[in-house]
Amino acid sequence: MTKILLVSTSPSVRNALNYLFTVILKFDFECIDFDACEDWLHNIENVNAIFVDMTEANSNPAPLINKLTTHAQPGVVLAIQELKGVWGADAFEAGAIDVLTWPCNLRELSLRLNRRLPTPTPSVEQPHDVSWDVEAYIALRAGLTTAEAQIMRVLFAQDGQIVTRDALSLAVESRPWRYGDRKFDVHVAKIRKKFADTFDERISVETVRSSGYMLRTGGLNAFDPT
């Protein structure tokens, strides 16, 4: 399994990348702060990529990037900075293979990472009219767990259409649904409550008797974080 390490103190970066790597791409994802980096370097684990978030760093993280680049081979190191960030060139000189500007489109970020990995990972199929950033916004605003978010994104991709329990199980767990298994019913009930508390009537999830589930939204613009 592809393993990603994020070094960050920014909640927005942590939450968005956690959604991208655990919910959408289903990678092994770990997040640590800058203070924990020395310990990590002393107990190095094999990783495919390391993201160093410079958006809230207190000092130039170029020396850290240099250490990570040296010790994380064959993994690659990418840096993240704000639009007005001043350490991008230093990050490249320290060994970063790319410097991303935050906020960053999540799908673009995943594609850029894939191009830079020594062994590219399979791409994730996604309808062209569905935004990963909007998905992440909905999941984070509603406080969905990883399991709930994985269910939500399958339903969200089929907005206004019934998704059978079998289709949901295949998408989320890569196995057919077993008759009598009420796990999805429990998760959907929790998702429904969280959506009602967060979005009122703008987004809802219905249980369609003997069929499955249907998510309805008022369109992407209602949830666009921009």
Side-chain angles (χ1 to χ4, degrees), residues 79-93:
I80 300 172
Q81 69 173 356
E82 295 177 306
L83 182 61
K84 296 181 179 180
V86 297
W87 294 325
D90 294 339
F92 275 119
E93 288 185 340

Side-chain angles (χ1 to χ4, degrees), residues 96-116:
I97 199 169
D98 198 358
V99 177
L100 309 170
T101 300
W102 192 263
C104 177
N105 178 282
L106 294 182
R107 184 166 177 79
E108 177 186 339
L109 188 154
S110 92
L111 292 171
R112 290 174 71 141
L113 171 62
N114 208 32
R115 288 284 183 141
R116 287 153 178 75

Side-chain angles (χ1 to χ4, degrees), residues 142 190-201 203-204:
K190 293 179 179 179
I191 294 170
R192 182 183 297 115
K193 184 180 186 307
K194 290 179 179 181
F195 282 171
D197 292 342
T198 307
F199 300 111
D200 298 320
E201 298 179 355
I203 181 168
S204 62

Side-chain angles (χ1 to χ4, degrees), residues 156-174:
F156 184 67
Q158 303 296 324
D159 189 359
Q161 302 178 47
I162 296 174
V163 177
T164 67
R165 290 175 176 82
D166 201 45
L168 188 58
S169 184
L170 287 170
V172 174
E173 299 183 336
S174 301

Side-chain angles (χ1 to χ4, degrees), residues 31-193:
C31 183
I32 62 175
D33 58 27
F34 287 91
D35 292 337
C37 281
E38 287 300 326
D39 288 339
W40 188 89
L41 285 167
H42 288 305
N43 301 280
I44 292 177
E45 302 176 23
N46 291 329
V47 293
N48 298 90
I50 301 172
F51 286 83
V52 179
D53 173 22
M54 305 188 294
T55 61
E56 294 188 4
N58 294 322
S59 59
N60 192 335
L64 172 62
I65 291 173
N66 182 260
K67 286 183 181 180
L68 292 172
T69 302
T70 302
H71 291 85
Q73 299 293 337
V76 297
V77 177
L78 302 89
I80 300 172
Q81 69 173 356
E82 295 177 306
L83 182 61
K84 296 181 179 180
V86 297
W87 294 325
D90 294 339
F92 275 119
E93 288 185 340
I97 199 169
D98 198 358
V99 177
L100 309 170
T101 300
W102 192 263
C104 177
N105 178 282
L106 294 182
R107 184 166 177 79
E108 177 186 339
L109 188 154
S110 92
L111 292 171
R112 290 174 71 141
L113 171 62
N114 208 32
R115 288 284 183 141
R116 287 153 178 75
L117 289 174
T119 304
T121 61
S123 60
V124 176
E125 294 185 7
Q126 184 77 3
H128 293 297
D129 59 347
V130 174
S131 165
W132 289 2
D133 300 274
V134 174
E135 281 182 35
Y137 172 76
I138 294 172
L140 295 173
R141 275 289 304 275
L144 301 186
T145 65
T146 297
E148 291 164 357
Q150 289 173 342
I151 292 170
M152 183 278 294
R153 77 178 309 263
V154 176
L155 301 178
F156 184 67
Q158 303 296 324
D159 189 359
Q161 302 178 47
I162 296 174
V163 177
T164 67
R165 290 175 176 82
D166 201 45
L168 188 58
S169 184
L170 287 170
V172 174
E173 299 183 336
S174 301
R175 65 174 178 82
W177 175 69
R178 288 193 284 263
Y179 182 80
D181 185 350
R182 295 185 53 81
K183 174 170 51 183
F184 291 127
D185 291 337
V186 173
H187 283 310
V188 167
K190 293 179 179 179
I191 294 170
R192 182 183 297 115
K193 184 180 186 307

